[in-house]
Amino acid sequence: AVIVAVPTFFPVTTPLVLTVATLVLEDLYVTFFLLRKLVFDCWIADPDGKRYYRYLKNEDGQFVGEIAYHYDAEMQQEIANVMIYAKYRRRGYGGEALDLLCSAAKSNGVSVLYDDIAIDNPAVSLFLKHGFVEESRTEEIILLKKKL
């Protein structure tokens, strides 16, 4: 599997186009615009240098998933997030995505990445194969950690 991380392009100034019949109601537009801005501000914009978010494309140019990390002030940790779309799983993209994310985090000065994963999630073994170790666990969640 070969994937590349693609910077997101989600301009807030471009109006949201609705193709739903005649739903061009002003309050619906405003609601969607504000929701889109909230999502952009929370997950994609990086005013403080505390987030990283990229789409993943395969060698055919198809979007196969997303990678991200952000600083969680409550936990005081950098939290990783790897999501491979269901139809592309079990093709090697997850491991490659995790390696890309760790490399990007290290390049950006992050020294340790964490992820809390449900105990029954098969991704636990993927993270362990790629250098993460168990930091702690509850009955529901495993906290994994990797020194970069």
Side-chain angles (χ1 to χ4, degrees), residues 37-101:
K37 179 160 177 29
L38 175 66
V39 168
F40 181 85
D41 289 348
C42 288
W43 295 105
I44 299 172
D46 188 21
D48 302 322
K50 295 182 180 180
R51 290 188 197 93
Y52 177 87
Y53 183 92
R54 297 291 187 271
Y55 294 126
L56 300 171
K57 290 171 71 174
N58 66 10
E59 59 275 6
D60 296 327
Q62 299 164 317
F63 287 97
V64 298
E66 306 167 28
I67 55 175
Y69 70 79
H70 70 280
Y71 182 75
D72 184 306
E74 186 177 316
M75 294 176 70
Q76 297 184 346
Q77 300 168 340
E78 299 285 347
I79 305 296
N81 185 1
V82 175
M83 181 173 39
I84 303 299
Y85 305 139
K87 71 181 187 176
Y88 294 106
R89 291 182 187 153
R90 309 211 50 84
R91 299 184 188 185
Y93 294 128
E96 196 170 342
L98 193 51
D99 291 343
L100 278 170
L101 183 62

Side-chain angles (χ1 to χ4, degrees), residues 27 52 133 139:
D27 20 335
Y52 177 87
V133 295
E139 291 181 13

